[in-house]
Amino acid sequence: MKNKIQIFVASLFALGLTAIAGNVKAQTTSNNTIQEVQLNKNDAFNEIRNLLIANFDFTNSDYKQGVVNSEVKFDIADNGKIVNVRSKGDCKNVSKEIEKVLSHLQYKIDPSKLNQNMIASSFVMPVRVDINNR
């Protein structure tokens, strides 16, 4: 009986060392990291941001005062049009305005402005709006 317990404890110890070694190896390899895509000032997203600023209605009194952080998700159709705009953030009214502006833009993204890392059809773009006191 004592021999079986010793074998069982040794097996648990060996499995524990194997698990720890596997975790350490998984944490040090770079194969499972998400690469950040750096945006160029001449890309399509800069144009979208400029159009969003130009068409945003800052006069709505229902907006939260100060800096409002939002995240807008949208798809790009095959013809380059922005579709399926969804926004969420600190202020639901600002998010609705972002959705309204981007949904009604008469703008099509030029595929030549998207680099090789940006060939997806769905994108997430952070938006930061500063609402000053009226």
Side-chain angles (χ1 to χ4, degrees), residues 108-122:
K108 292 185 179 183
I109 293 181
D110 182 8
S112 67
K113 295 205 177 195
L114 298 177
N115 66 33
Q116 192 65 7
N117 294 330
M118 302 167 64
I119 57 175
S121 61
S122 296

Side-chain angles (χ1 to χ4, degrees), residues 45 48 72-86 102-103 107-109 114 120-125:
F45 290 108
I48 293 171
V72 62
K73 297 177 182 182
F74 57 91
D75 299 329
I76 298 176
D78 292 335
N79 64 358
K81 183 99 171 100
I82 297 172
V83 294
N84 299 328
V85 180
R86 302 152 319 273
L102 291 180
S103 295
Y107 173 78
K108 292 185 179 183
I109 293 181
L114 298 177
S121 61
S122 296
F123 296 93
V124 178
M125 184 174 76

Side-chain angles (χ1 to χ4, degrees), residues 88-117:
K88 65 179 179 177
D90 299 340
C91 177
K92 67 178 182 174
N93 294 317
V94 170
S95 294
K96 285 180 186 178
E97 180 67 15
I98 291 170
E99 289 176 4
K100 183 180 114 185
V101 169
L102 291 180
S103 295
H104 293 92
L105 280 180
Q106 298 300 318
Y107 173 78
K108 292 185 179 183
I109 293 181
D110 182 8
S112 67
K113 295 205 177 195
L114 298 177
N115 66 33
Q116 192 65 7
N117 294 330

Side-chain angles (χ1 to χ4, degrees), residues 44-61:
F45 290 108
N46 196 42
E47 291 180 31
I48 293 171
R49 283 188 187 95
N50 290 337
L51 289 169
L52 179 61
I53 291 168
N55 294 298
F56 195 89
D57 177 21
F58 288 96
T59 61
N60 190 338
S61 62

